[in-house]
């Protein structure tokens, strides 16, 4: 099976600083891949560079096996849906209209039908007519997630989709993304909460200084050694009846 | 939505009828009758060759400025944007000032052409910047710099101009007016206005997508680079043609979208046509006020719009600032 997204040996600079130094990932249909790492490790840069949103110094970025630089905007949008970290909305459009922005390729009537269906999936059907700036952060997150799902793309990339959300909304967001993977999508999320990442993702890529420090199943990727070297934490991933949790304290504390 | 546009069109027609009927010379019922029966009669002359072109010009300029303002607000994701913000009005004013001070005022169309060139120059600069920088704030900051620079150069033209007559002429022109316009002036303005309006309407779907932010829009599958250029070029053309035809008239591009925003539920694409209609309505009303307010010297249109528009700008800024703090 062709990987939905393959990034290999990516190098990229922001200003003079090297933010990616050989970073890589690959994700297949049906899989939820988590990208974790300390602040400044290059998580957002990896997504942006891998999507063609920032120039590459070196490396390969393939969407469904095709080099991203060779895709025109329409082809790229057909292969990937992106939820950026920056989620400030400029105008107070009704939720339904915002969700429908995920499907600009469809005639307006069909786009609205898809939007209605995805709002329903994210539990935001009742909000369809509400202005997105009149909502709570959690409600708006559901609407933006519905917009992402409305792209109907085989690869969904979400940068910090749970930042600023309460615990319930965080779990719901990841559950919904898992549902999309179960429907056959490849899903990539960046996350800061290591326990949440370990529970929600099939595989993790741990980034540090623009390089892959570890990867694999959560138990393997977040070994005590990785926690110590990358995150400066003394601790371990622990299996509990509720799933994996990270028990740790700051190094030397 | 359609109902809003119908409502605005009907309002515009009614207001235009009033604006053509009223003026400094007051007519009796018999004279109105004569004007309709015989357009070549003296009352007919006043109505059809003096007032009608003036009202049509005000409507056209207002529509252009309203559409340009709405387009720039969508592009910059900012309800405080308007043609003045990108520096387009200031460079167009500079172009006209240079032509007048250079003694080209007697040449028909020279001042207009010079103003249009000034506006398009700003448009080219802005397009270049928009391709280089994705952040809308950058465009606003460069617009401030461009406005200040063009303003300084215009002041330099005053400063170095040996002729006080030319200086007075430039000043009068910078104040903005649709006085003494005929159908030729109208026809001259119409071309760039139609092209500009077409470009803005083409950019509408891109403006809607920008609601989500720059990066999400870039990944949406729409040709955002092209749509962005169309929005900048279209609004520069509209604003430039407006300044070329009527001098500097501020705040219509700000106020017109504001009036219709709630009715289109904030939609930056659907707001375009109603903004054009609202702009036309506003400027016909402002010109009627400029004509009817009894003053020694007839009020300049740009002065009227600035007097009403600047407080509106302050009010919008106040509200925006409060929402940022919340």
């Amino acid at each position: 099976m062709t990987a939905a997204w393959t990034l290999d040996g990516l190098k990229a600079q922001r200003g003079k600083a090297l933010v990616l130094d050989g970073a890589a990932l690959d994700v297949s249909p049906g899989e939820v891949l988590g990208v974790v790492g300390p602040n400044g490790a290059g998580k957002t840069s990896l997504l942006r560079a891998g999507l063609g949103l920032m120039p590459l110094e070196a490396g390969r970025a393939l969407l469904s096996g095709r080099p991203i630089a060779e895709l025109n905007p329409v082809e790229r949008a057909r292969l990937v849906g992106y939820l950026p970290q920056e989620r400030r909305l400029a105008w107070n459009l009704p939720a339904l209209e915002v969700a429908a922005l995920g499907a600009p390729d469809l005639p307006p009537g069909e786009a609205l039908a898809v939007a209605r269906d995805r709002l329903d999936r994210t539990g935001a059907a009742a909000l369809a007519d509400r202005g997105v700036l009149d909502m709570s952060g959690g409600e708006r997150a559901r609407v933006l997630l519905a917009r992402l799902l409305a792209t109907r793309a085989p690869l969904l990339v979400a940068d910090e989709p749970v930042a600023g959300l309460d615990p319930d909304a965080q779990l719901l967001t990841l559950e919904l993304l898992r549902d999309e993977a179960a429907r056959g999508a490849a899903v990539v999320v960046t996350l800061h909460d290591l326990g949440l990442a370990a529970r929600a993702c099939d595989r993790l890529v741990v980034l540090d200084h623009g390089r892959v420090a570890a990867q694999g199943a959560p138990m393997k990727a977040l070994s005590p050694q990785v926690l110590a070297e990358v995150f400066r934490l003394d601790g371990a991933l622990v299996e509990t009846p509720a799933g994996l949790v990270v028990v740790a304290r700051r190094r030397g504390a | 939505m359609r109902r809003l546009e119908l409502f605005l069109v009907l309002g515009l027609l009614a207001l235009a009828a009033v604006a053509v009927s009223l003026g400094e010379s007051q007519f009796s019922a018999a004279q109105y009758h004569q004007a309709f029966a015989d357009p070549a009669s003296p009352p007919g002359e006043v109505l059809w060759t003096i007032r009608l072109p003036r009202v049509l010009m005000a409507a056209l300029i207002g529509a252009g400025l309203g559409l340009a303002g709405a387009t720039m607000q969508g592009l910059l994701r900012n309800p405080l944007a308007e043609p003045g913000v990108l520096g387009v009005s200031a460079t167009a004013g500079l172009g006209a000032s240079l032509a007048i001070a250079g003694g080209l005022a007697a040449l028909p169309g020279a001042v207009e052409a010079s103003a249009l060139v000034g506006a398009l120059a700003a448009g080219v600069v802005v397009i270049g910047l928009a391709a280089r920088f994705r952040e809308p704030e950058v465009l606003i900051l460069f617009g401030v710099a461009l406005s200040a620079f063009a303003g300084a150069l215009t002041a330099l033209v005053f400063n170095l101009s040996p002729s006080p007559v030319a200086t007075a002429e430039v000043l009068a022109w910078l104040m903005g007016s649709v006085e003494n316009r005929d159908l030729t002036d109208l026809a001259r303005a119409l071309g760039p206005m139609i092209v500009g309006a077409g470009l803005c309407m083409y950019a509408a779907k891109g403006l809607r997508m920008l609601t989500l932010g720059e990066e999400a829009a870039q990944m949406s599958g729409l040709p955002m680079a092209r749509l962005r250029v169309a929005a900048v070029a279209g609004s520069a053309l509209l604003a430039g043609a407006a300044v070329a035809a009527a001098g500097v008239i501020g705040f219509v591009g700000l106020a017109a979208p504001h009036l219709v925003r709630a009715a289109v539920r904030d939609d930056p694409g659907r707001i375009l046509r109603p903004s054009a209609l609202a702009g036309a309505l506003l400027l016909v009303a402002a010109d009627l006020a400029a004509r009817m307010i009894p003053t020694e010297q007839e009020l300049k249109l740009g002065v009227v719009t600035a007097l009403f528009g600047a407080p509106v700008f302050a009010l919008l800024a106040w509200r925006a600032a409060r929402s940022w703090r919340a």
Side-chain angles (χ1 to χ4, degrees):
Chain A
M1 187 159 33
T2 318
W5 202 21
T6 307
L7 307 178
D8 191 14
L10 297 197
K11 289 195 183 198
Q13 285 183 314
R14 198 168 48 209
K16 289 245 160 70
L18 195 64
V19 286
L20 293 179
D21 187 12
L25 65 73
D26 64 279
V27 60
S28 299
E31 186 182 34
V32 178
L33 177 74
V35 179
V36 296
N39 285 325
K43 302 186 292 293
T44 297
S45 296
L46 178 62
L47 303 189
R48 295 186 67 234
L51 293 172
L53 288 172
M54 77 190 256
L56 279 179
E57 304 282 315
R60 249 172 11 127
L62 308 176
L63 274 178
S64 297
R66 298 177 60 192
I68 193 131
E70 288 173 15
L71 301 171
N72 65 37
V74 174
E75 293 170 323
R76 185 171 65 174
R78 205 172 288 146
L79 293 175
V80 59
Y82 180 45
L83 180 64
Q85 197 173 353
E86 165 65 61
R87 289 199 274 282
R88 199 174 64 87
L89 291 161
W91 308 106
N92 197 15
L93 288 178
L96 184 65
E97 301 277 344
V98 169
L101 289 176
D105 54 320
L106 298 178
E110 284 176 46
L112 288 176
V114 169
R116 213 176 290 278
D117 176 71
R118 299 311 192 268
L119 282 174
D120 200 32
R121 239 187 240 183
T122 62
L127 302 172
D129 198 45
R130 281 258 298 280
V132 282
L133 299 183
D134 300 331
M135 295 179 176
S136 71
E139 291 171 331
R140 200 175 311 141
R142 290 178 191 228
V143 174
L144 288 173
L145 204 57
R147 200 281 308 175
L148 178 69
L149 303 190
T151 61
R152 298 148 290 134
L155 168 65
L156 301 174
V157 178
D159 196 1
E160 306 254 9
V162 303
L165 299 183
D166 65 32
D168 176 60
Q170 292 193 5
L171 292 174
L172 174 80
T173 299
L174 290 170
E175 229 168 76
L176 289 168
L177 287 170
R178 285 211 65 85
D179 290 347
E180 291 307 306
R183 286 190 173 89
V187 176
V188 176
V189 285
T190 64
L191 293 165
H192 264 298
D193 184 328
L194 298 178
L196 202 57
R199 290 195 296 281
C201 302
D202 301 313
R203 266 191 321 129
L204 295 178
V205 168
V206 182
L207 282 186
D208 191 25
H209 294 104
R211 280 184 291 262
V212 176
Q215 60 176 315
M219 263 309 204
K220 174 176 163 247
L222 293 178
S223 66
Q225 193 192 351
V226 170
L227 290 177
E229 283 170 7
V230 177
F231 295 95
R232 287 193 203 88
L233 294 172
D234 282 328
L237 208 55
V238 180
E239 186 90 58
T240 73
L244 296 166
V245 293
V246 172
V247 181
R249 57 178 180 186
R250 298 181 62 213
R251 280 209 98 172
Chain B
M1 182 53 216
R2 300 268 160 196
R3 224 188 310 159
L4 169 71
E5 282 171 26
L6 186 67
F7 176 74
L8 288 169
V9 167
L10 291 177
L12 182 58
L13 288 175
L15 185 65
V18 171
V20 170
S21 311
L22 296 182
E24 221 176 337
S25 356
Q26 290 172 6
F27 294 136
S28 64
Q31 281 169 310
Y32 280 122
H33 186 260
Q34 194 188 359
F36 276 93
D38 177 12
S41 64
E45 285 278 308
V46 171
L47 255 58
W48 309 126
T49 61
I50 298 178
R51 288 187 196 159
L52 182 65
R54 178 174 184 155
V55 170
L56 289 177
M57 193 64 143
L60 181 67
I61 302 288
L65 290 173
L67 181 53
T71 302
M72 289 183 40
Q73 293 179 7
L75 181 70
L76 300 177
R77 307 174 39 156
N78 189 333
L80 293 175
E82 71 123 23
V85 170
L86 280 189
V88 175
S89 304
T91 51
L94 172 64
S97 309
L98 280 171
I100 295 171
L104 297 177
L107 220 65
V111 176
E112 286 88 342
S114 184
L116 197 56
V117 167
L120 288 177
V124 169
V125 170
V126 172
I127 288 171
L129 292 169
R132 177 114 177 59
F133 301 99
R134 300 266 170 243
E135 303 80 3
E137 296 83 358
V138 176
L139 286 186
I140 294 182
L141 291 175
F142 276 111
V144 170
L146 198 58
S147 288
F149 190 58
L153 288 176
T154 306
L156 187 68
V157 171
F158 286 141
N159 198 171
L160 297 182
S161 168
S163 146
V165 179
T167 302
E169 240 179 285
V170 174
L171 256 181
W173 192 86
L174 283 178
M175 283 194 277
S177 171
V178 286
E179 247 181 297
N180 300 326
R181 296 303 195 275
D182 59 23
L183 292 175
T184 323
D185 298 315
L186 198 67
R188 209 178 283 147
L190 207 55
M193 287 269 185
I194 288 173
V195 176
L199 287 169
C200 290
M201 294 312 297
Y202 166 70
K205 55 182 182 293
L207 302 181
R208 294 194 80 214
M209 195 56 84
L210 276 172
T211 303
L212 297 173
E214 298 286 327
E215 295 213 312
Q218 235 177 304
M219 294 298 295
S220 68
L222 295 183
M224 286 309 294
R226 208 188 312 157
L227 292 170
R228 194 186 304 274
V229 169
V232 175
S235 51
L237 216 50
L238 286 171
V243 175
V248 178
I249 294 171
F251 299 106
V252 176
L254 182 83
H258 177 63
L259 284 177
V260 295
R261 174 149 290 132
V264 298
R265 297 208 60 184
D266 251 26
D267 189 315
R270 276 179 212 151
I271 203 171
L272 296 184
R273 273 184 311 190
S275 294
L277 292 169
L281 246 162
L282 277 178
L283 210 57
V284 171
D287 186 50
L288 184 61
R291 283 192 286 143
M292 298 307 287
I293 293 172
T295 45
E296 193 91 343
Q297 292 274 322
E298 186 181 300
L299 287 176
K300 291 284 190 183
L301 184 51
V303 176
V304 174
T305 63
L307 280 174
F308 286 99
V312 172
F313 183 84
L315 191 73
L316 289 177
W318 177 276
R319 270 201 221 151
R322 279 213 315 206
S323 76
W324 290 331
R325 208 184 294 158

